[in-house]
Structures are given as structure tokens and as C-alpha cells.
Amino acid sequence: MLKEKRFFITAAATVLFCTPALAPVGHVFADSSSLQQRISVLSSQQQTAHINGVYHVDQLVKFNGKWYVVDNGIAIPPIDYNNYIPVGPLTVTDKNGNVLSNQTLYKGSYFTFGKTEFSVINLTSNTVALSIGGEPVSFNRNAFGNRFVLSDQVPAAKFKVGDKVKISDKATSETNGYDLTPHRNWKGTIKSVTQYKHSNSNWEYCVEYPNGQQNVHVPEQDIILDSESPTIDLSKIKQAGINGFNSGGWSYPSGQCTSFVAGILASQGVNTSKFNYLGNGADWAGNARSRGIKVDMTPSVGAVVSFKGVPPYYIAPYGHVAFITKVNSNGTFHVYEGNWSGTSFHERDVALDNAVAGIIHF
């Protein structure tokens, strides 16, 4: 039986090349050439790491005629050959890390990685793939804690999963060459973080937008936190609103405040399903809330204000909607709107009074 096997640690053996261990987590490569290019770039960085601490032989595996160990605590489930650690570079110890004279491994033994520097094949915030004994091995990076030490430390990632960010207005392309310019100034959420050297960036991010689209390889240099976002491009916002007012669409007729705001939201990449068929301006707040969209009484740049049908400014029962472009220090806020006295564009400061049905944060 396998648990009765015993052997002596020997020099590292032949390379076991497992393509999945080299593919960055969360990435799908279009072809083998792009994979090889990414591997080449990673290799050229010459980044290494060493692993401190004592580990346990939970599994002793013979694979393709060679012996490997697995410590379940640092492996990535489901455990397979990508998690197999070649025995060559390992040092047999007791549970306290004291080196044993008998360098024989059993299931249940303890070991360390010694002082060996291992080449980093791929690194994300959650996983790491190292070249150990000439073979790629994948680990759960978080399980190491501070026992995993990069010898060629790079600056920590500026953003984390869940951060609300915006694509810079100077962004040009993703790290894989795809055009990023159509998504300049788009707001989204960080879905994954991967270490990858590109231009002035050491990290790349997957950014998902409210309309469901994603950019998977956005370099750090082209991302800013939403709270750091510069003032929105008012000229583009204005033109998008006028276009919506004139053409209509998204379930709203032309010449209306609703089509004006819908035109702006569409230009900002908001998923159409969030703002179409919301009804008259007075109905937007309630209907948006019923769709699970955040509605409150806190004005913010980029949000939409829904007004009740309260005379003399807002005709009952239709009400009104407008797009917020600025929040003033005195509590009022500035809006762009259409169909104010029939015009295609109008702007003004508004007070947060009882005419406001709600502030909608698409």
C-alpha cells in the first residue's frame, strides 16, 4: 500500500509540464501563442521566492515513476498533479523544524523547503505557481501567510477585489493588446487581481461594468478609485442627454426628460435593463428600488434624481428626472435635464426638498 512506501530524497527529476499550472487564475488564453508569450514575459522577470515554515506529508504520491508529496493545507482543491511537490528540494524535519539525520519521508512526516529560492511562474492575490525541482507546482498563497516571501518584492497591488473603480481617460489598451479606449471613464468593480508586469504596472485587474461587460487585463496604471475620479466630462454628458432627448429610445419617447437621462445612462455603460421601462419621471425611484437598485436621499455625482408630480414645477402625475453633475457644499446639487419648458437641455441647482422622490444610484 502507498502509506507503507518509504524512499530517500534524491535530486530533482525530469520536468513534468502541466499547462493548467501555468495559466493565470481567471484567465482564458485565446491560443497557445498568447500563453507562451505570457510565460516568456513572466520568466524574464526573474522573480523568485522562498518558503519558510514546517509542512506535513498528507499524501505520498508516485506519479509517472517519480515521488511527490502533498500538504493539503497549502494545496488548491481539487488536489491533482498540479499540487504535487517533487521531493528533491525538500528537507525532512521533525514538527518543530529540526533537521533529521534520516532523510527518509513517510506519509505523516514533516518537511521544509529549506533555503532554496524558487522561480515564480505565476502570482495572483490568492494563488502562486512555483518551479520546484524543475516542475510547476501550484499553491494556495493565502494559506502560507507570511511564510511565503518574495525575494524580488514588487509594490503591493493598489486595488483589491470589490473596489469600485474607473477606467482612466488616458487608457489605451489591456495588457493583452485589446483596445481599452472605448471604455475610458467607465465605472466598474474589481473582480480579480493578478501580478503581471506591463509598462508601468506590476498588476493587472479584471474589471466588470454594470452592463455585464468585462475587461480582464486592465493594467494598474489605467485604473483609479471611484472616489479619486476627476470631474465627469460634462460636455459628453450634455451631448448624450441631448441625443437621447432628440432620438428617444430605451422605451422612452423623444422630447422627454426620461429619454434625456436614458441617453446619458446608456453612454455611461449602465445596463439597459436597469433603466428602461421605469415609467414617468415620478415613478423612476419606486420602480428602480423594486429592481434592487439603490435608491436613497443622498445626492452624488452620476446619480439620477426622481421628482414627484408636485406643481408648479413638476406636472402631476408625470413628475420629472434629471442627472446629477455636482453636489454643492450647501447641500444643493447641480443637474442636467431635458424637457424643462420643452428645451433639449437645461441645467440648474436643486434643493433636496419634499418634491424629491429619491436619488437613484445606477
Side-chain angles (χ1 to χ4, degrees):
M1 296 176 64
L2 187 58
K3 66 180 181 180
E4 297 173 344
K5 293 279 188 182
R6 59 196 300 270
F7 60 95
F8 292 88
I9 295 178
T10 58
T14 308
V15 172
L16 170 65
F17 186 85
C18 306
T19 301
L22 294 175
V25 173
H27 292 68
V28 178
F29 294 97
D31 51 49
S32 59
S33 62
S34 60
L35 171 60
Q36 292 300 326
Q37 180 183 26
R38 188 167 288 261
I39 293 172
S40 175
V41 172
L42 285 166
S43 299
S44 68
Q45 295 178 32
Q46 297 296 308
Q47 189 171 29
T48 61
H50 62 272
I51 302 173
N52 298 322
V54 180
Y55 301 88
H56 186 257
V57 179
D58 293 311
Q59 298 183 44
L60 191 60
V61 182
K62 190 173 185 179
F63 185 75
N64 283 354
K66 293 177 288 186
W67 287 98
Y68 302 85
V69 299
V70 176
D71 181 326
N72 295 341
I74 55 176
I76 302 174
I79 296 173
D80 59 14
Y81 51 80
N82 291 301
N83 303 126
Y84 294 172
I85 306 170
V87 300
L90 307 182
T91 300
V92 182
T93 68
D94 62 19
K95 64 180 180 180
N96 297 314
N98 299 308
V99 179
L100 301 181
S101 58
N102 182 3
Q103 288 291 294
T104 305
L105 274 176
Y106 304 88
K107 183 177 180 180
S109 296
Y110 295 91
F111 67 92
T112 69
F113 290 89
K115 297 182 178 180
T116 304
E117 290 286 323
F118 301 108
S119 296
V120 176
I121 298 173
N122 184 62
L123 186 69
T124 75
S125 57
N126 299 315
T127 65
V128 60
L130 302 175
S131 177
I132 298 179
E135 304 183 26
V137 184
S138 296
F139 297 101
N140 178 345
R141 182 181 178 185
N142 293 332
F144 284 120
N146 59 11
R147 297 177 298 174
F148 175 78
V149 182
L150 285 172
S151 302
D152 178 21
Q153 290 282 6
V154 298
K158 185 177 180 181
F159 310 104
K160 63 182 183 300
V161 172
D163 279 349
K164 303 297 183 182
V165 297
K166 184 176 180 179
I167 303 300
S168 165
D169 59 5
K170 296 179 175 60
T172 56
S173 64
E174 296 184 72
T175 63
N176 60 357
Y178 284 101
D179 187 12
L180 197 54
T181 57
H183 290 173
R184 286 177 176 175
N185 296 313
W186 278 35
K187 294 182 179 181
T189 303
I190 298 291
K191 306 301 289 187
S192 68
V193 183
T194 305
Q195 185 182 333
Y196 181 63
K197 179 66 177 176
H198 174 80
S199 186
N200 296 322
S201 300
N202 291 298
W203 298 88
E204 67 174 16
Y205 301 81
C206 173
V207 180
E208 184 174 277
Y209 306 106
N211 63 3
Q213 294 184 38
Q214 291 185 341
N215 284 116
V216 182
H217 305 286
V218 183
E220 189 172 80
Q221 67 196 38
D222 291 330
I223 296 177
I224 52 179
L225 276 176
D226 199 16
S227 60
E228 298 175 355
S229 299
T231 304
I232 57 178
D233 190 330
L234 296 180
S235 62
K236 291 183 179 179
I237 294 295
K238 176 181 177 180
Q239 190 58 55
I242 293 173
N243 291 344
F245 177 90
N246 290 331
S247 66
W250 312 281
S251 78
Y252 305 108
S254 62
Q256 300 298 319
C257 60
T258 49
S259 57
F260 178 94
V261 173
I264 295 175
L265 295 176
S267 74
Q268 295 294 294
V270 178
N271 194 312
T272 304
S273 65
K274 291 188 175 183
F275 63 86
N276 64 354
Y277 297 103
L278 287 176
N280 295 319
D283 303 321
W284 274 43
N287 289 336
R289 185 182 290 110
S290 68
R291 294 183 185 182
I293 299 169
K294 180 181 178 181
V295 179
D296 56 23
M297 297 298 284
T298 305
S300 65
V301 175
V304 172
V305 55
S306 170
F307 296 96
K308 305 172 187 175
V310 180
Y313 298 112
Y314 314 115
I315 301 174
Y318 305 108
H320 188 63
V321 285
F323 186 84
I324 300 174
T325 60
K326 182 182 179 181
V327 178
N328 303 314
S329 58
N330 63 359
T332 63
F333 50 98
H334 197 77
V335 300
Y336 280 6
E337 56 195 352
N339 197 26
W340 184 262
S341 298
T343 60
S344 63
F345 174 76
H346 182 261
E347 60 180 308
R348 62 189 170 112
D349 283 334
V350 177
L352 190 66
D353 56 23
N354 61 5
V356 175
I359 307 295
I360 310 166
H361 304 271
F362 290 99

